[in-house]
Amino acid sequence: MLILKNLSAKINNKDILRDISFTFEEGKVYALMGPNGSGKSTLAFSVMGHPSYSFPEKSKIIFDGKNITRLKPERRAKLGIFLSFQSPLALSGVNVFQLLRYASQKKIDPLSLKEKLEDYSRKLKVAKELLERPLNEGFSGGERKKMEILQAAILNPRLAFFDEIDTGVDVDALKTIALFLNDLKKGGKTFVLITHYNRILKHIKPDAVLVMKEGRLVRVGDGKLVDKIEKEGYEKI
Amino acid sequence: MPERAVFKTKPGLSAKTVEEISNIKEEPAWMRDFRLKSYQTFVQKQLPSWGGDLSKINFDNIVYFIRAIKDRAKSWENLPKEIRETYEKIGIPEAEKKFLAGVSSQYDSEVVYESVRQELQKQGVIFCDTDSAVKKYPAIVKKYFGKLIPPNDNKFAALNSAVWSGGSFVYVPKGVKVSLPLQAYFRINAKNFGQFERTLIIAEEGSSVHYVEGCTAPIYSTDSLHAAVVEIFVKKGARVRYTTVQNWSKNVYNLVTKRAKAEENAIMEWIDCNLGSQLTMKYPSVYLSGKGARGEVLSIALAGKEQHQDAGAKMIHLAPDTSSRIISKSISKDGGRTSYRGLVYVAPGAKNSSVYVSCDALIMDEKSRSDTYPYMKVIQKDTRVQHEATVEKLGEEKLFYLTSRGIKKEEAEGILVNGFIEPVAKEIPFEYSIELNRLINLEMSGSVG
């Protein structure tokens, strides 16, 4: 469903991604791993349409057969792509409900949106008062991650990148998040989990593991690759 | 544009013109003398050397007084297109629209507001235009008029004192609490609008009143100078809130002097939203003259292309246990410039006072600018002072976050700006805050909804 063709990306004239080609298939779960600074977040940003990156002519991002390389982020979101941010910023004066009202283009009526939000919050063990506070203002790391997942659940994308959804999250919260994501995945969604650890992958089994190093996709394997990385690190890959 | 004016002074100002204005209003001698003295002060005073660029104001080209008959015979179609469009996008009712645009000076409101007026009358509240007050209530007006802002305060206060017309006069008797904000009436009363309006509010002991001026629709004026004076007396234990939401057309110099005096345990709150104009210089102030008095200024300023909003607040602590709070939010975009200019003075003897100043600036792009001039002079030692200032650039990262959720960039900017001003905007009466919200979205994207 998502094809990356010779994807290279630059920011301020610095090469971040180098010639990545890969096809993500519908309904599968991918783990995207690699050392810090290997370009994992940039890959997710590129697919979502971050305006700071530039791509050479031959780089292509194709979603559902459509070339989206030059599409604005809001158009990509409409097509069903979602990105859960590694470090979501705080938004003063806007709570998650208001944000989702705008994001859903007021297509969901406010009452059902509220009900859905509250329902998902219960499942995610998010305190109700967080829904009414300005988004992420004074929220803990774990709370911020849960807010990202809440948005994913409401916006119901077909392809979702979760950038380090397991970082800064305690053991119990991790389990809650994993259970929720497993539930959300039903119905044929495609997930890309960017992670450093195998602990989340014990709850959500990846169909494939991708390893990036220095902006390149250096290895693609199955679940066993995760254990190997856990034991031996990235040096030998 | 033809104007059917009954009387109109020649462009430019002289003692003779001032006298003419007073004569046609059939004013008592004391007011005429006040005007003439003020005119002398105006001539002698220099333009302020700080703030915005005032050098382009040509005082000789301004018509200082016009008395129009029923309407000024302008037509809706003659108004600049962008003004008409803004009105339509904000959703102002047709009749009000024409009035606000200066097309019609009368709005058939007698029936609607009659009940409100009767209610006020029963409570002994006086609410009329200041011209009428001079004639009907000379004793009260004489006692307070020009006492807080004397003509020699600054050049524009002097000018207003010489040529003022219109504005509101509000008198709230002891212990009376006016439950409805005095606003709807103002919105549709022609006499209160003008270039040089003069407002005087007196809240007697233990009374309270909320006064709202302006509207978010651009106030179209072919005249380029607006110099108003607002004086407010808040007596012991009384409370006055004065809310301004104004959007002058972009050719106007908006130079307004606003001052309140708060006596023992009195509360004075200014809520001041400045949009529009080419230059605004406005620093609502509170003289905290009685023990335990409290003053607040909450303000929002938005400066777009070729606009400069030089706004702020003044808090003068003159008595013990007084407290003040200034919250300023400014936004600059498309090369616009905002300046926060504040003065806090804590006089010797104003023991145990507290001061809180917070000014936040949001800069939308590289071309725009924001400055902060927070002067503080604290002489009394045991004063608690808190000062916070932030300058934020509207981050690409926040915009990306919102757009990644499927929100258009222009709409995302509106959300971020409205979020930024929310702490102040929530204090504004609901219908105005909705209009303000829409107007900001309009400024961001050029379209509403």
Side-chain angles (χ1 to χ4, degrees):
Chain A
M1 75 178 328
L2 176 74
I3 303 166
L4 307 179
K5 263 191 199 164
N6 305 108
L7 183 66
S8 297
K10 275 185 186 192
I11 187 164
N12 301 330
N13 259 332
K14 200 179 157 214
D15 291 316
I16 309 286
L17 298 182
R18 297 162 205 258
D19 203 37
I20 292 177
S21 293
F22 189 75
T23 300
F24 295 85
E25 284 169 39
E26 182 127 31
K28 296 211 165 154
V29 175
Y30 297 88
L32 180 54
M33 303 182 78
N36 292 325
S38 57
K40 304 184 295 294
S41 295
T42 299
L43 182 87
F45 277 156
S46 301
V47 173
M48 196 71 241
H50 195 293
S52 299
Y53 298 97
S54 58
F55 311 103
E57 203 57 48
K58 64 168 188 172
S59 291
K60 284 196 174 66
I61 303 168
I62 292 161
F63 184 69
D64 271 352
K66 191 178 166 167
N67 185 351
I68 62 164
T69 322
R70 318 274 161 201
L71 220 56
K72 286 180 182 166
E74 62 265 32
R75 305 270 304 129
R76 301 183 195 209
K78 293 264 153 50
L79 293 174
I81 304 173
F82 181 87
L83 168 60
S84 163
F85 284 61
Q86 187 187 127
S87 326
L89 298 162
L91 297 176
S92 48
V94 186
N95 62 35
V96 71
F97 173 76
Q98 290 162 325
L99 175 67
L100 288 167
R101 280 276 286 154
Y102 285 110
S104 62
Q105 297 294 302
K106 302 184 179 163
K107 271 180 198 140
I108 314 175
D109 73 276
L111 270 183
S112 355
L113 176 61
K114 191 164 177 279
E115 275 170 20
K116 269 185 160 179
L117 252 183
E118 285 173 1
D119 179 38
Y120 290 141
S121 314
R122 262 191 304 276
K123 287 184 185 145
L124 268 173
K125 296 181 182 155
V126 169
K128 213 175 150 188
E129 55 113 17
L130 288 190
L131 303 181
E132 275 139 41
R133 276 180 25 201
L135 183 62
N136 297 333
E137 246 180 28
F139 288 23
S140 72
E143 286 167 343
R144 286 177 188 230
K145 299 285 157 111
K146 285 182 176 179
M147 284 294 152
E148 295 293 291
I149 298 172
L150 258 185
Q151 294 176 55
I154 298 281
L155 295 172
N156 197 25
R158 293 178 43 226
L159 167 67
F161 284 81
F162 294 95
D163 195 351
E164 295 195 18
I165 198 72
D166 51 349
T167 307
V169 171
D170 65 44
V171 187
D172 295 332
L174 182 76
K175 210 171 162 191
T176 310
I177 287 173
L179 278 173
F180 190 91
L181 287 181
N182 268 327
D183 227 24
L184 191 66
K185 182 169 65 81
K186 285 173 191 160
K189 286 187 177 31
T190 308
F191 281 0
V192 182
L193 303 171
I194 299 174
T195 182
H196 283 295
Y197 313 101
N198 70 351
R199 52 178 200 164
I200 192 166
L201 302 174
K202 289 197 169 120
H203 298 286
I204 311 172
K205 290 280 169 227
D207 296 296
V209 178
L210 283 64
V211 180
M212 286 180 68
K213 263 169 113 173
E214 290 165 2
R216 290 179 205 280
L217 182 59
V218 293
R219 182 94 184 255
V220 179
D222 58 14
K224 284 175 203 146
L225 189 53
V226 181
D227 298 322
K228 190 173 149 66
I229 292 167
E230 191 85 352
K231 277 192 208 114
E232 301 170 13
Y234 292 110
E235 295 276 316
K236 290 183 181 168
I237 289 174
Chain B
M1 265 181 249
E3 258 174 356
R4 271 184 287 151
V6 166
F7 178 80
K8 190 174 164 180
T9 57
K10 286 194 198 94
L13 200 54
S14 65
K16 195 169 154 270
T17 313
V18 172
E19 234 178 321
E20 235 178 320
I21 293 171
S22 191
N23 284 342
I24 193 131
K25 287 172 178 278
E26 297 169 354
E27 282 176 346
W30 66 268
M31 182 55 80
R32 190 191 57 221
D33 293 345
F34 175 83
R35 285 181 185 275
L36 285 167
K37 264 189 219 149
S38 303
Y39 170 70
Q40 293 308 330
T41 311
F42 165 72
V43 173
Q44 286 153 16
K45 279 260 172 198
Q46 299 295 312
L47 284 169
S49 56
W50 45 273
D53 178 13
L54 298 166
S55 64
K56 289 193 187 78
I57 300 178
N58 186 347
F59 290 101
D60 296 330
N61 267 349
I62 295 168
V63 172
Y64 290 89
F65 180 72
I66 299 172
R67 174 170 286 177
I69 33 173
K70 274 182 188 157
D71 58 60
R72 298 172 87 175
K74 288 176 188 170
S75 74
W76 180 242
E77 288 66 35
N78 282 345
L79 284 171
K81 194 166 140 248
E82 67 271 17
I83 297 232
R84 272 183 288 146
E85 282 175 358
T86 308
Y87 277 57
E88 266 142 32
K89 282 172 183 164
I90 297 175
I92 305 264
E94 192 70 18
E96 239 179 282
K97 239 166 28 184
K98 294 198 169 174
F99 165 75
L100 292 168
V103 171
S104 154
S105 59
Q106 280 293 326
Y107 178 62
D108 192 12
S109 59
E110 298 300 313
V111 186
V112 184
Y113 298 106
E114 191 51 38
S115 61
V116 176
R117 207 171 308 162
Q118 272 176 14
E119 183 61 34
L120 290 175
Q121 221 157 33
K122 239 190 284 172
Q123 293 181 302
V125 176
I126 303 170
F127 182 25
C128 63
D129 66 275
T130 310
D131 284 290
S132 306
V134 169
K135 285 175 196 144
K136 285 197 210 158
Y137 314 99
I140 313 178
V141 175
K142 219 173 155 176
K143 187 172 166 191
Y144 295 100
F145 195 98
K147 294 299 190 298
L148 206 48
I149 306 175
N152 64 9
D153 190 83
N154 65 72
K155 191 170 179 77
F156 294 97
L159 177 63
N160 174 284
S161 299
V163 301
W164 73 271
S165 261
S168 291
F169 175 74
V170 179
Y171 178 83
V172 188
K174 192 172 170 179
V176 170
K177 307 217 182 293
V178 181
S179 51
L180 275 176
L182 299 180
Q183 55 170 329
Y185 184 82
F186 182 87
R187 270 183 87 152
I188 42 78
N189 185 334
K191 282 188 177 167
N192 301 55
F193 268 110
Q195 276 178 270
F196 305 106
E197 83 262 21
R198 182 98 193 187
T199 287
L200 179 58
I201 298 175
I202 298 130
E204 292 286 8
E205 242 181 83
S207 69
S208 74
V209 66
H210 181 188
Y211 182 88
V212 185
E213 71 167 339
C215 62
T216 48
I219 303 165
Y220 182 64
S221 170
T222 46
D223 305 311
S224 59
L225 179 60
H226 173 245
V229 166
V230 179
E231 294 173 290
I232 302 179
F233 294 84
V234 196
K235 300 292 180 71
K236 187 176 170 184
R239 177 174 193 157
V240 175
R241 172 176 278 206
Y242 190 107
T243 300
T244 304
V245 179
Q246 254 166 3
N247 185 20
W248 291 95
S249 54
K250 288 175 184 158
N251 56 335
V252 169
Y253 289 89
N254 185 30
L255 312 165
V256 175
T257 311
K258 285 179 162 171
R259 193 168 300 161
K261 181 178 167 191
E263 294 182 6
E264 193 178 329
N265 292 323
I267 300 171
M268 176 64 214
E269 299 157 305
W270 295 103
I271 295 164
D272 209 61
C273 306
N274 299 298
L275 298 109
S277 83
Q278 69 173 292
L279 170 66
T280 288
M281 286 172 67
K282 184 165 32 160
Y283 323 95
S285 45
V286 185
Y287 285 58
L288 300 151
S289 66
K291 196 176 170 210
R294 199 169 98 201
E296 282 200 7
V297 176
L298 310 181
S299 66
I300 295 171
L302 173 65
K305 195 179 171 192
E306 291 166 2
Q307 290 181 290
H308 183 186
Q309 303 281 6
D310 195 289
K314 274 197 256 180
M315 290 292 178
I316 314 294
H317 292 252
L318 300 167
D321 304 323
T322 47
S323 59
S324 65
R325 192 163 77 118
I326 298 170
I327 298 177
S328 156
K329 298 265 179 187
S330 72
I331 302 139
S332 48
K333 63 182 280 271
D334 293 337
R337 177 179 175 195
T338 59
S339 312
Y340 166 79
R341 195 180 297 277
L343 170 69
V344 175
Y345 175 69
V346 182
K351 289 180 192 147
N352 193 34
S353 291
S354 71
V355 173
Y356 176 81
V357 179
S358 154
C359 38
D360 301 326
L362 182 64
I363 302 174
M364 303 289 291
D365 48 53
E366 296 297 320
K367 291 178 288 180
S368 303
R369 166 174 176 191
S370 177
D371 314 281
T372 307
Y373 309 94
Y375 299 104
M376 280 207 199
K377 196 170 178 189
V378 178
I379 293 167
Q380 180 65 35
K381 270 185 185 151
D382 55 359
T383 308
R384 294 180 300 281
V385 178
Q386 231 183 312
H387 179 242
E388 293 161 11
T390 65
V391 178
E392 191 185 332
K393 284 199 173 145
L394 187 69
E396 198 170 56
E397 295 308 315
K398 278 187 187 176
L399 280 176
F400 175 60
Y401 186 78
L402 291 173
T403 52
S404 81
R405 298 312 189 230
I407 299 166
K408 277 195 200 121
K409 193 176 169 211
E410 296 75 17
E411 198 179 359
E413 286 180 350
I415 293 169
L416 291 174
V417 171
N418 278 310
F420 172 76
I421 62 166
E422 197 259 357
V424 175
K426 70 173 190 230
E427 300 292 331
I428 302 168
F430 188 64
E431 61 274 34
Y432 286 90
S433 67
I434 287 190
E435 285 179 14
L436 186 69
N437 187 294
R438 282 195 206 149
L439 190 74
I440 282 175
N441 289 336
L442 180 67
E443 289 279 337
M444 295 305 142
S445 65
S447 75
V448 169

